[in-house]
Amino acid sequence: MKIKLTLLSSLILVSGLVKAQDSLMIRNIYDEELVNGQCYSNLHYLCKNIGQRISGSENAQKAIEWGKKLMEGYGFDKVFLQPVMVPHWVRGAKEEGAIIKGDQRISVHIAALGMSVATPKNGITAPVIEVQSLKELETLGKDAIQGKIVFFNRPFDPKFIETLYAYGTAGDQRFAGPAAAAKFGAVGVIVRSLTESLDYYPHTGATLYVKDGVNIPAAAISTIEANKLSTMLKMRSLPAVKFYFKQNCQTLPDAPSFNVVAEMKGSENPNKFITVGGHLDSWDLAEGAHDDGTGIVQSVEALRLLKVMGYKPKNSIRAVFFINEENGDRGGEKYAELANDNKEEHIAAIESDLGGFTPRGFTFEGVSPALLKSINTNWGPLLAPYGSGVLAAGGGGSDIGPLKAKSKNVVLIGYLPDSQRYFDVHHTPNDVFENVNKRELELGAASMASLIYLIDTHGLN
Ligand SMILES: [Zn+2]
């Protein structure tokens, strides 16, 4: 009995010491970041000296070269590129434009959806049919839709607390709407921008055509103008409202590109990996500051922090700048394929791709309730004082997603910032450096470095 008590008290003592060590390390990570952080100035360079960097573009290549140089400058053990072919879609040189033709002509803001085809040279003019869902197309049938422009106008559901879920449930209109409308003989598609906010920004984003389907041109319209169009369509006194739009986009042959990878070698398990990343490509309308410049600079910053702390990881730790998340996910797929070919075992992969807003915590994909409980019990109290204590079930991210199929034990983790303002800027001309807050960005980078430290030190099982 006495022995048991002694053993128990020494165990408590050891676990107390471990907690104190962890707590001190995390405090030091935050101190270093908040005093000497570099992610904000790195983001400034990426946004202002390179700017938009859609896959296959000259700017994407510049961003790759910048990323490699940045990583090399930090003196990690290894920096390398992973070649991958990517889709090369371009918006085209001539201006896009759209007009609602009712009793008067009203110019409105549109942006071609990524991967969309162009309209004919002089644009398309056709009557409009408004729908709320893909299912409604079936109810209406070919007779009602043929020869028309289908206008998908289902707004974000404001009842979701995390806006990502509103995006997820409204998103089918953009991803799949154009292909579905084409089957019923539509000549074009206009999609209400995927945002809660009411403004004049069209939000682009990829649409997916189906193999052997007819590819019709598709564009996003700003939410204010979507409301205007909807109101005009409902006014019986007006002659049939028509819509005109013109866009010049095209898909060129696939282009060579790269993921950029930095690595700190593990001292005990060099072939076991913890990966942290974001995507280097962005849409072409702005600087891709929140999507996903912030994820990129936070990922490399997490490694820099561990390095300047003098931390020697047990497992190998990587920062990955994935290419082509926006319109193909080829970078994420290539990373997983190479991990498999090289027999690398991934313990965990963390992705930051929900904007650089105030950190809340992390979401863990497909982990058992027991593991999630132990993560919360052991690490929650260490992260909560920094505002990152939400450790919940949820998604990892699309760049790290393909790792799951290749490496079944990997735990996929999504960085979870506050989501209320992300869709104000997401895929718009307003996704610029000025809309990123330095302190919020830095707190996020420090939270990612802290989680990597905890996973590397204590494992994830
Ligand atoms: Zn993104």
Side-chain angles (χ1 to χ4, degrees):
M1 187 67 183
K2 198 176 175 193
I3 294 170
K4 270 190 189 162
L5 271 177
T6 314
L7 187 63
L8 188 65
S9 50
S10 63
L11 277 176
I12 290 168
L13 190 67
V14 169
S15 105
L17 279 176
V18 168
K19 284 251 157 65
Q21 263 173 21
D22 289 345
S23 167
L24 185 63
M25 176 69 177
I26 291 172
R27 181 69 255 180
N28 287 339
I29 287 173
Y30 275 85
D31 286 354
E32 166 64 22
E33 181 57 31
L34 295 172
V35 177
N36 301 314
Q38 296 188 12
C39 53
Y40 190 66
S41 57
N42 287 337
L43 183 67
H44 184 267
Y45 190 96
L46 178 65
C47 289
K48 298 301 176 191
N49 293 53
I50 297 169
Q52 72 81 16
R53 43 197 182 277
I54 193 167
S55 288
S57 65
E58 208 176 298
N59 269 14
Q61 183 56 31
K62 279 187 196 160
I64 288 161
E65 284 159 22
W66 162 82
K68 182 165 178 277
K69 221 170 128 193
L70 180 75
M71 289 170 172
E72 284 167 349
Y74 287 142
F76 300 123
D77 297 322
K78 215 157 101 179
V79 173
F80 57 97
L81 300 179
Q82 295 179 325
V84 57
M85 294 300 287
V86 295
H88 189 190
W89 177 85
V90 293
R91 190 168 294 278
K94 289 182 224 113
E95 229 173 275
E96 300 169 327
I99 299 168
I100 303 172
K101 297 179 173 181
D103 54 344
Q104 46 179 322
R105 292 161 63 96
I106 304 170
S107 283
V108 294
H109 300 79
I110 59 149
L113 295 185
M115 308 309 282
S116 173
V117 293
T119 57
K121 214 167 76 205
N122 296 322
I124 293 177
T125 302
V128 183
I129 183 159
E130 177 179 339
V131 298
Q132 300 294 308
S133 67
L134 273 66
K135 199 146 187 278
E136 203 180 329
L137 297 173
E138 285 165 34
T139 316
L140 287 164
K142 205 162 185 168
D143 286 350
I145 296 168
Q146 185 123 37
K148 295 196 177 126
I149 291 172
V150 169
F151 167 38
F152 286 99
N153 192 32
R154 184 169 86 256
F156 260 30
D157 182 344
K159 296 193 293 299
F160 286 109
I161 303 304
E162 296 296 341
T163 59
L164 188 68
Y165 295 110
Y167 178 67
T169 53
D172 63 332
Q173 299 174 97
R174 192 195 81 209
F175 312 135
K183 280 197 214 150
F184 292 94
V187 292
V189 163
I190 296 294
V191 182
R192 179 188 186 89
S193 283
L194 295 177
T195 178
E196 165 82 26
S197 103
L198 277 176
D199 57 39
Y200 286 101
Y201 294 116
H203 295 229
T204 191
T207 195
L208 304 168
Y209 290 131
V210 288
K211 204 165 168 264
D212 304 327
V214 181
N215 298 346
I216 56 172
I221 184 170
S222 78
T223 46
I224 289 178
E225 287 153 331
N227 287 351
K228 190 174 285 176
L229 176 58
S230 181
T231 305
M232 288 175 71
L233 288 168
K234 289 181 183 89
M235 286 168 69
R236 298 251 164 95
S237 57
L238 290 182
V241 172
K242 288 188 173 176
F243 194 84
Y244 158 86
F245 75 116
K246 180 172 171 308
Q247 57 192 33
N248 321 286
C249 40
Q250 60 174 316
T251 301
L252 304 172
D254 284 1
S257 195
F258 304 92
N259 292 329
V260 194
V261 187
E263 186 176 308
M264 289 170 77
K265 200 169 176 169
S267 56
E268 288 178 23
N269 312 308
N271 204 40
K272 289 187 177 177
F273 293 85
I274 300 167
T275 281
V276 60
H279 64 87
L280 191 52
D281 62 307
S282 77
W283 281 110
D284 57 323
L285 298 174
E287 297 165 4
H290 277 291
D291 189 12
D292 184 22
T294 54
I296 287 296
V297 298
Q298 286 175 325
S299 298
V300 72
E301 187 76 346
L303 256 70
R304 186 192 74 79
L305 285 167
L306 295 172
K307 189 168 162 56
V308 298
M309 306 270 85
Y311 181 68
K312 300 269 177 274
K314 289 186 200 172
N315 305 286
S316 292
I317 300 180
R318 281 182 181 161
V320 183
F321 292 2
F322 294 96
I323 196 74
N324 187 226
E325 189 273 346
E326 294 293 5
N327 57 340
D329 284 322
R330 302 262 186 97
E333 278 160 20
K334 179 56 79 175
Y335 183 83
E337 182 191 314
L338 290 172
N340 188 51
D341 292 352
N342 298 329
K343 304 203 166 23
E344 297 165 350
E345 187 188 334
H346 278 72
I347 304 169
I350 305 168
E351 179 164 335
S352 169
D353 187 19
L354 295 177
F357 299 96
T358 306
R360 296 281 183 246
F362 297 90
T363 49
F364 296 76
E365 190 171 319
V367 296
S368 69
L371 177 56
L372 196 58
K373 193 171 169 211
S374 115
I375 289 170
N376 271 283
T377 308
N378 296 314
W379 299 348
L382 293 163
L383 297 170
Y386 302 93
S388 280
V390 177
L391 304 168
S398 43
D399 284 308
I400 57 175
L403 270 175
K404 195 76 190 173
K406 308 275 183 189
S407 180
K408 66 177 175 17
N409 293 324
V410 66
V411 174
L412 304 182
I413 303 168
Y415 168 63
L416 179 71
D418 182 90
S419 71
Q420 302 313 319
R421 285 174 290 142
Y422 186 45
F423 292 98
D424 293 358
V425 299
H426 184 250
H427 297 181
T428 73
N430 201 26
D431 188 8
V432 293
F433 176 76
E434 288 76 3
N435 288 326
V436 178
N437 176 282
K438 178 172 184 284
R439 198 167 166 82
E440 292 177 357
L441 180 73
E442 290 175 346
L443 287 168
S447 75
M448 286 156 66
S450 301
L451 183 66
I452 295 168
Y453 159 78
L454 290 170
I455 295 171
D456 183 60
T457 308
H458 302 293
L460 254 178
N461 42 45

